[in-house]
Amino acid sequence: MPTPSESDGVVVLHAENLTKSFGGIRAVDHLNLTLARSELRCLIGPNGAGKSTLFGLLSGLHRPDTGRILFKGEDITNLQPFQRVRKGLCQKFQTTRIYRSLTVAQNLLIAGGTHTSNRKKNEKLSWALSTLGLDSEHEVSAGKLSHSHQQWLEICLALATEPDLLLLDEPTAGMTPEETALTAQFVVNLNRQALTVLVVEHDMAFVRYIAQSVTVLHYGRIFTEGSLDEIESNQEVRRIYLGES
Amino acid sequence: MEREDKRWWQVLNGPQELGRGRVFWCLFTFAALGLLAYPFVGSVFALSNFANFCLYVPMGLGLALLWGYSGVLSFGQSAFFAIAGYVYGIISGNLLDMPGGTLLAAAGAIAASAAIAAAFGYFVFYGQVSGWIIPLLLLVLSLILETFMAQTAGYQWRVGSVLLGGYNGMTNIPSLQIGSSIFGGASIGFYYLVVSAMLITYLGLRLLVNSHYGHVVTGIRDDVERTRMLGYNVNLMQIQVFVVAAALAGLSGVLYVSWGNYINPSSMGLLPATLPVIWTAVGGRSSLLAVLLSTVTLRWLADSLAVKGGEYAFLIMGILLLVTMLFFPAGIVVTLARHWLQRKPERRDLKKNRAP
């Protein structure tokens, strides 16, 4: 398979032959994944399919046993997580990770780091804060925000790093259906602002709302890829993931 | 959110420290003026004693930065204190006739503490040593240095013309000298030097913790992984903070030997290693001002008790730490200040309600 290059201007992430084992368990198994610029992709799969491990490999929290990762045409396989963020790849964790003892403003101050072009207004972030209603909560301690606002704040922290690729690990976990719908709408609008987004999500309502394309992971491998209609009509996917016999 | 370009005084008055606003800064100015005026009323003995209490403040504030703001506890500040004391003694003792020799010695001493901290920090932080092991490793560093220095008795243990002195320690260390002024322990000049060092360290660290850098340091304390995933070289920043804390302990070490003209290995023993942790915990590690106040107060208390009851002073320090940990985990000064700050709006509301 030819290596996609930055020169074609389409591919933003290309993971090739990624494998990661923990003890005797192979969590990610010779996996290939390519994301086009401005794509919004959903990653689904049953528990233990390797979704979070794949995110860990992409963000640099785990080192792959084999394979390599190209980001905007550059090999980032051996880069530290903080170096990947500086290249434009940022992750929202599965469990909300914000600075609970600090105010929203202080959280955002930390996230808008020296490596970002902070002289220029971060349009996406300003838009996100007002859309999500966080701009009126600047002086509120982050630990006192509601659960959904904490999740949104973490997405905003990631946006403050000015990413080209945003990894969202279960962004609607624990949210009400209304909040889930709002988050989905928000992610779609964010993607329309030329941001590539890769989302791991269990909530099929959310997936239905946002997905342009869906990748199904099973036993650490890509089981199938395609549009949501294709995935939902695939009998094998229904059996392993959607729980239908 | 865009990072606002704040003026330095807005940063100084930032949210990462307890005392803020006009009332606080008025009180602070009065206190500073009081300290500057003290030599006009205090005896030389009282001034020398008070300077001795205050010279430990940079070490205490360094630990507040390291423990309270960056989340790394250290039982080894005494090691950096003593390293600086010994290095100052060695350099200044060999440069007796050189103008500015003691200043060079002070710079070399603080640099030595910082360099050893950088080397230690490199292995500890890049080696991903877990949080609770670090204080133990630092305690071991301090105790090993104590044991080593205790066996350096005899003429063979000398650097240039300076004897290390074994358990009796290094004596006749020259006091700091700037031009023709000698900053000996019983001089007014030394008092002003220590008070300046204390206030400059406080204000400097206040600027640091309220800066963007200081916020990131606090972020590392709260969630290392999150901070790393926002693009920060967390390990490098931890080493930087560790080095600053060690350099401040070194500054206290230099002031100490300039005050007393001697240093011995017991300054790296178990007790001196524990005392900075007690000052920081009792005041409240999350506030520089609280640690400043508790360091001076507890040094004064220990000194007063030692005069009356010898070793009982340490027993009382231990009890104080225990009581703090059990009943005021955030520190006594910090707890009282928060209580007062919470009640203030209530009082304001009451006044409003009473108004016709």
Side-chain angles (χ1 to χ4, degrees), chain A residues 86-181:
Chain A
R86 291 179 185 188
K87 299 267 178 206
L89 191 160
C90 199
Q91 178 182 358
K92 181 215 167 292
F93 289 94
Q94 187 176 358
T95 325
T96 317
R97 294 182 90 154
I98 50 174
Y99 306 112
R100 289 169 199 283
S101 67
L102 304 179
T103 63
V104 170
Q106 286 177 306
N107 270 267
L108 292 166
L109 176 66
I110 293 172
T114 46
H115 50 280
T116 58
S117 53
N118 46 46
R119 296 275 159 235
K120 207 175 69 196
K121 192 172 167 68
N122 186 336
E123 299 284 356
K124 274 195 200 87
L125 180 59
S126 306
W127 168 81
L129 289 170
S130 62
T131 305
L132 298 170
L134 282 165
D135 51 358
S136 59
E137 296 181 304
H138 269 197
E139 295 312 315
V140 179
S141 175
K144 289 185 177 160
L145 292 175
S146 67
H147 173 72
S148 57
H149 280 220
Q150 290 189 6
Q151 296 262 53
W152 292 337
L153 175 60
E154 194 183 355
I155 297 176
C156 289
L157 295 186
L159 288 177
T161 68
E162 300 179 351
D164 294 312
L165 170 59
L166 182 62
L167 307 176
L168 299 175
D169 200 348
E170 299 196 22
T172 64
M175 285 190 187
T176 63
E178 292 76 24
E179 289 164 346
T180 300

Side-chain angles (χ1 to χ4, degrees), chain B residues 37-251:
Chain B
Y38 187 40
F40 297 104
V41 289
S43 66
V44 173
F45 178 73
L47 283 179
S48 174
N49 258 353
F50 189 69
N52 176 271
F53 305 150
C54 295
L55 66 84
Y56 290 92
V57 168
M59 174 156 68
L61 291 180
L63 185 59
L65 173 73
L66 184 64
W67 185 20
Y69 289 85
S70 88
V72 176
L73 174 58
S74 165
F75 275 98
Q77 296 315 95
S78 53
F80 302 117
F81 175 91
I83 286 166
Y86 271 103
V87 171
Y88 175 85
I90 290 167
I91 300 177
S92 61
N94 281 296
L95 298 178
L96 277 177
D97 301 326
M98 187 182 147
T102 56
L103 290 180
L104 197 66
I110 294 169
S113 288
I116 290 171
F120 186 90
Y122 175 81
F123 290 108
V124 164
F125 294 114
Y126 276 106
Q128 309 277 329
V129 174
S130 40
W132 62 273
I133 303 265
I134 296 172
L136 296 181
L137 283 177
L138 283 161
L139 181 61
V140 170
L141 173 75
S142 200
L143 296 180
I144 286 175
L145 284 173
E146 182 200 19
T147 312
F148 176 78
M149 292 312 294
Q151 53 85 51
T152 56
Y155 195 67
Q156 70 276 24
W157 288 99
R158 68 181 193 280
V159 181
S161 58
V162 177
L163 292 172
L164 297 183
Y167 204 80
N168 293 328
M170 198 183 273
T171 51
N172 297 322
I173 299 172
S175 294
L176 279 164
Q177 187 174 353
I178 301 172
S180 56
S181 317
I182 298 174
F183 293 86
S187 66
I188 292 178
F190 183 76
Y191 170 85
Y192 280 123
L193 181 71
V194 168
V195 167
S196 309
M198 177 170 82
L199 295 179
I200 290 170
T201 306
Y202 170 70
L203 294 173
L205 286 183
R206 221 188 132 117
L207 269 176
L208 181 79
V209 299
N210 282 307
S211 67
H212 175 256
Y213 183 91
H215 275 86
V216 180
V217 167
T218 317
I220 294 173
R221 175 197 69 193
D222 284 5
D223 193 332
V224 171
E225 221 53 75
R226 175 72 276 167
T227 312
R228 199 169 272 141
M229 287 302 294
L230 289 174
Y232 295 101
N233 190 344
V234 166
N235 300 125
L236 181 65
M237 291 183 73
Q238 284 177 313
I239 295 173
Q240 289 166 348
V241 171
F242 188 60
V243 167
V244 170
L248 288 172
L251 172 61

Side-chain angles (χ1 to χ4, degrees), chain A:
Chain A
M1 193 169 78
T3 306
S5 68
E6 177 66 2
S7 58
D8 57 19
V10 175
V11 171
V12 69
L13 179 92
H14 178 70
E16 200 175 276
N17 198 31
L18 284 185
T19 302
K20 179 70 185 172
S21 300
F22 297 104
I25 298 165
R26 190 166 281 183
V28 171
D29 189 6
H30 297 96
L31 183 141
N32 295 302
L33 179 75
T34 302
L35 282 180
R37 192 172 291 280
S38 302
E39 187 178 343
L40 173 53
R41 176 87 64 95
C42 255
L43 204 57
I44 63 171
N47 284 334
K51 303 181 298 288
S52 291
T53 306
L54 175 61
F55 262 32
L57 291 171
L58 296 179
S59 64
L61 292 175
H62 303 311
R63 282 290 164 92
D65 301 331
T66 67
R68 63 177 189 153
I69 301 163
L70 299 179
F71 181 61
K72 295 191 282 185
E74 187 186 344
D75 191 339
I76 59 162
T77 319
N78 294 316
L79 293 189
Q80 297 283 330
F82 78 88
Q83 292 169 315
R84 297 182 193 206
V85 176
R86 291 179 185 188
K87 299 267 178 206
L89 191 160
C90 199
Q91 178 182 358
K92 181 215 167 292
F93 289 94
Q94 187 176 358
T95 325
T96 317
R97 294 182 90 154
I98 50 174
Y99 306 112
R100 289 169 199 283
S101 67
L102 304 179
T103 63
V104 170
Q106 286 177 306
N107 270 267
L108 292 166
L109 176 66
I110 293 172
T114 46
H115 50 280
T116 58
S117 53
N118 46 46
R119 296 275 159 235
K120 207 175 69 196
K121 192 172 167 68
N122 186 336
E123 299 284 356
K124 274 195 200 87
L125 180 59
S126 306
W127 168 81
L129 289 170
S130 62
T131 305
L132 298 170
L134 282 165
D135 51 358
S136 59
E137 296 181 304
H138 269 197
E139 295 312 315
V140 179
S141 175
K144 289 185 177 160
L145 292 175
S146 67
H147 173 72
S148 57
H149 280 220
Q150 290 189 6
Q151 296 262 53
W152 292 337
L153 175 60
E154 194 183 355
I155 297 176
C156 289
L157 295 186
L159 288 177
T161 68
E162 300 179 351
D164 294 312
L165 170 59
L166 182 62
L167 307 176
L168 299 175
D169 200 348
E170 299 196 22
T172 64
M175 285 190 187
T176 63
E178 292 76 24
E179 289 164 346
T180 300
L182 190 60
T183 309
Q185 197 179 7
F186 167 73
V187 171
V188 168
N189 286 332
L190 199 56
N191 170 249
R192 283 184 188 144
Q193 296 175 46
L195 180 66
T196 315
V197 186
L198 180 62
V199 194
V200 163
E201 189 51 76
H202 279 297
D203 188 333
M204 283 311 285
F206 179 86
V207 176
R208 273 186 205 103
Y209 193 96
I210 72 159
Q212 297 168 2
S213 55
V214 178
T215 297
V216 183
L217 229 59
H218 191 43
Y219 288 125
R221 287 170 176 265
I222 290 185
F223 189 75
T224 184
E225 284 180 313
S227 69
L228 187 64
D229 289 341
E230 287 165 358
I231 296 296
E232 285 194 308
S233 58
N234 184 320
Q235 288 301 320
E236 279 298 297
V237 174
R238 295 173 81 95
R239 188 179 60 77
I240 65 162
Y241 183 58
L242 302 175
E244 293 178 16
S245 54

